[in-house]
Amino acid sequence: QQPVQSPQAVILREGEDAVINCSSSKALYSVHWYRQKHGEAPVFLMILLKGGEQKGHEKISASFNEKKQQSSLYLTASQLSYSGTYFCGTGQNFGNEKLTFGTGTRLTIIP
Amino acid sequence: NAGVTQTPKFQVLKTGQSMTLQCAQDMNHEYMSWYRQDPGMGLRLIHYSVGAGITDQGEVPNGYNVSRSTTEDFPLRLLSAAPSQTSVYFCASSRTTRGLSYGYTFGSGTRLTVV
């Protein structure tokens, strides 16, 4: 079963903050976050692991609540380049790379 | 370093035809997978592989076959195309070290239309 993302879509003015949520009905080991621009491939943003480890390479933060099986992605002081669709991908087991993706959150940043 | 290369970028098939979508990566990644993306449904896993010679089914495998004879290549075969297989197909690969993932690298996608 796919994780549920909320909101489905959001429109922000440049400089505003956004939070995107990802919730799973299954126990999670890892949560990945990706951003996809229209007509392009998804691009990796960040991974959060059970136990608190976090790997990423952009100035975007995230949290992972293992007990609630939820993750949130935080975009602060949004820039026009943040526009796109954000997907969470969830993994159930250590060492298992298989991910189940949510249906996405479309983020539009306007000047 | 090309990353993940998918070919073709666009394809139109007639119902009942077969074809192979190619995927190659030059990063020596053990894990490779195929997803399809349909409007409003996100990315759904078709098949995946944890190494050469090892493949397994995802959540939507019907109508598709895969093989993994080398680390670099992971082709996806459509056996008898149906209009329901009209979609955008993405190949992805990833590296793991001691069970820890470094995220997926996606190919640029193949847009397939079945008429």
Side-chain angles (χ1 to χ4, degrees):
Chain A
Q1 190 172 2
Q2 290 179 283
V4 177
Q5 289 187 232
S6 63
Q8 290 185 317
V10 60
I11 299 174
L12 296 176
R13 291 198 177 276
E14 198 172 6
E16 292 182 335
D17 300 339
V19 180
I20 299 172
N21 301 302
C22 174
S23 181
S24 174
S25 60
K26 298 181 178 181
L28 301 178
Y29 176 76
S30 65
V31 179
H32 293 216
W33 285 97
Y34 294 80
R35 177 172 60 211
Q36 184 179 31
K37 294 188 178 289
H38 183 69
E40 299 181 6
V43 174
F44 173 72
L45 295 175
M46 180 175 297
I47 181 172
L48 300 104
L49 302 174
K50 186 176 181 179
E53 289 192 57
Q54 176 177 313
K55 298 183 187 295
H57 54 74
E58 282 203 20
K59 294 180 181 179
I60 294 173
S61 63
S63 64
F64 179 19
N65 187 324
E66 301 157 27
K67 289 184 179 180
K68 292 186 176 180
Q69 297 150 199
Q70 294 175 345
S71 178
S72 295
L73 185 71
Y74 306 97
L75 301 110
T76 56
S78 57
Q79 307 168 17
L80 294 175
S81 62
Y82 286 6
S83 290
T85 300
Y86 289 77
F87 293 97
C88 66
T90 56
Q92 268 72 57
N93 302 303
F94 172 82
N96 186 339
E97 283 291 271
K98 187 172 68 170
L99 294 181
T100 303
F101 283 90
T103 53
T105 296
R106 178 173 291 183
L107 176 65
T108 304
I109 309 295
I110 57 176
Chain B
N1 191 339
V4 179
T5 302
Q6 286 185 240
T7 56
K9 292 190 183 301
F10 301 94
Q11 183 72 48
V12 178
L13 286 179
K14 294 183 178 180
T15 297
Q17 287 185 317
S18 62
M19 79 160 294
T20 299
L21 279 62
Q22 302 292 343
C23 175
Q25 53 91 7
D26 61 359
M27 299 172 284
N28 201 33
H29 286 175
E30 288 297 321
Y31 183 86
M32 296 186 74
S33 56
W34 278 100
Y35 286 86
R36 59 177 289 172
Q37 185 173 38
D38 303 293
M41 303 191 72
L43 295 152
R44 292 184 293 167
L45 182 63
I46 305 172
H47 286 284
Y48 66 99
S49 169
V50 298
I54 306 170
T55 64
D56 205 348
Q57 297 180 348
E59 57 183 301
V60 288
N62 292 339
Y64 308 94
N65 273 354
V66 292
S67 60
R68 183 97 180 267
S69 56
T70 66
T71 299
E72 294 79 18
D73 299 301
F74 191 43
L76 178 72
R77 297 184 189 85
L78 279 70
L79 308 174
S80 178
S84 61
Q85 294 179 305
T86 293
S87 188
V88 180
Y89 291 84
F90 286 102
C91 178
S93 72
S94 68
R95 171 172 71 97
T96 59
T97 301
R98 300 174 191 168
L100 297 180
S101 171
Y102 290 82
Y104 283 12
T105 300
F106 283 87
S108 57
T110 295
R111 186 174 295 273
L112 176 68
T113 302
V114 183
V115 299

